[in-house]
Amino acid sequence: MTIFRKELRSGAVSFLIWSAVVGGLMAVCVGLYPSISGSMEDVSALFAGMGDFSAAFGMDKLQFGTILGFYGTECGNILGLGGAFFAALTAMGLLAGEEGGHTAEFLLTHPVGRLRAAGEKLAALFVLVLGLNLVCFACGAGGILLIGEEADWGDLLRYHGALLLMQLEIGGLCFGLSALLRRGGVGLGMGLTALLYFAGLLLNLDQGLDWLRFVTPYYYADAARLFAGETQAAPVLAGCVLGALGMGFGLWWYGRKDIA
């Protein structure tokens, strides 16, 4: 597990920074809720009547006057984007970084198969993404407890589980793309994440784009849809399959590619 530990050490600084920023922002947002909760009913009604803008972000379904509605809109967007960007950036550097950083010559001269090396890198990605989500959940849930609000913890846990699955799916896709590259593809990872996010917004706007629910993980990780009990099993399964295919492709391609 030497490569696994090395990847954890290499990603430690990035993990700490992203965890502090994303988790800290979530804690701040939750901390602000008591001071603005009195006027949230009016704000909720205002946003619900903003037409397509409200529909795109699910604000026509979420009730800002409740802690879960506020949490899903504010904290959910922070973790949904921040966590996905972290997963994408981490995954994009796992395989391509070996050639881009000219460390493949050192790694592949050791008696370690390519499949094992890539597998340990993938395991490190899982741990880093899981760790980020645990920190962020602790910040969000801890904030709710500190301000003395009552929340449906079952819904909250399911929501965080959906966000974790979404990030692992994006990480798996970027891991597969990383195997195709010879240098880190930071821009590609960021672009893919942004594209999937905007696909989720388009899906909320246009019912004629229902097929997008099988493409973007932001469909099943949408707070408004999940809290309303509208999440379907098929898109979740499709997301798992896409993420697994990305990971499997990355392992297969890295094992056969010509390393420069």
Side-chain angles (χ1 to χ4, degrees):
M1 300 295 284
T2 302
I3 299 172
F4 172 75
R5 292 192 295 270
K6 180 262 181 187
E7 291 298 336
L8 290 182
R9 289 194 299 268
S10 298
V13 174
S14 177
F15 167 77
L16 291 174
I17 293 174
W18 279 91
S19 296
V21 172
V22 177
L25 286 174
M26 291 176 64
V28 169
C29 283
V30 174
L32 291 174
Y33 178 75
S35 63
I36 60 177
S37 59
S39 60
M40 290 310 289
E41 291 293 342
D42 295 333
V43 175
S44 181
L46 174 64
F47 280 141
M50 293 179 66
D52 287 345
F53 180 84
S54 299
F57 293 94
M59 292 186 294
D60 56 335
K61 298 178 182 178
L62 288 174
Q63 294 296 321
F64 276 25
T66 65
I67 183 61
L68 273 186
F70 179 82
Y71 190 94
T73 303
E74 303 297 333
C75 298
N77 280 323
I78 293 172
L79 181 55
L81 278 173
F85 280 135
F86 172 75
L89 295 177
T90 303
M92 290 303 300
L94 288 176
L95 300 180
E98 294 294 344
E99 291 182 80
H102 301 289
T103 56
E105 300 96 321
F106 175 78
L107 174 64
L108 299 179
T109 55
H110 287 72
V112 178
R114 289 193 191 184
L115 182 61
R116 177 181 172 184
E120 291 191 25
K121 287 173 175 287
L122 185 58
L125 172 66
F126 269 86
V127 171
L128 290 170
V129 173
L130 177 61
L132 174 77
N133 280 267
L134 289 175
V135 171
C136 292
F137 175 74
C139 290
I144 293 175
L145 292 174
L146 285 175
I147 64 176
E149 291 290 332
E150 294 184 3
D152 187 327
W153 294 102
D155 279 348
L156 196 66
L157 285 171
R158 283 191 291 272
Y159 183 46
H160 273 274
L163 289 171
L164 173 61
L165 181 60
M166 176 197 71
Q167 294 164 36
L168 291 176
E169 178 185 343
I170 291 176
L173 293 173
C174 289
F175 181 81
L177 290 175
S178 178
L180 295 172
L181 305 177
R182 297 193 182 279
R183 299 180 185 276
V186 172
L188 182 58
M190 297 278 281
L192 175 63
T193 303
L195 182 63
L196 292 174
Y197 177 76
F198 285 112
L201 298 184
L202 290 175
L203 180 59
N204 290 338
L205 285 173
D206 189 350
Q207 296 300 318
L209 297 174
D210 282 349
W211 59 272
L212 283 176
R213 69 184 189 273
F214 298 106
V215 176
T216 173
Y218 284 95
Y219 171 82
Y220 61 75
D222 180 66
R225 190 171 287 112
L226 191 147
F227 292 156
E230 298 176 358
T231 303
Q232 301 171 359
V236 178
L237 180 60
C240 294
V241 170
L242 285 175
L245 286 176
M247 297 173 195
F249 175 80
L251 294 172
W252 172 74
W253 188 263
Y254 191 72
R256 65 183 296 274
K257 73 181 293 189
D258 182 18
I259 303 294

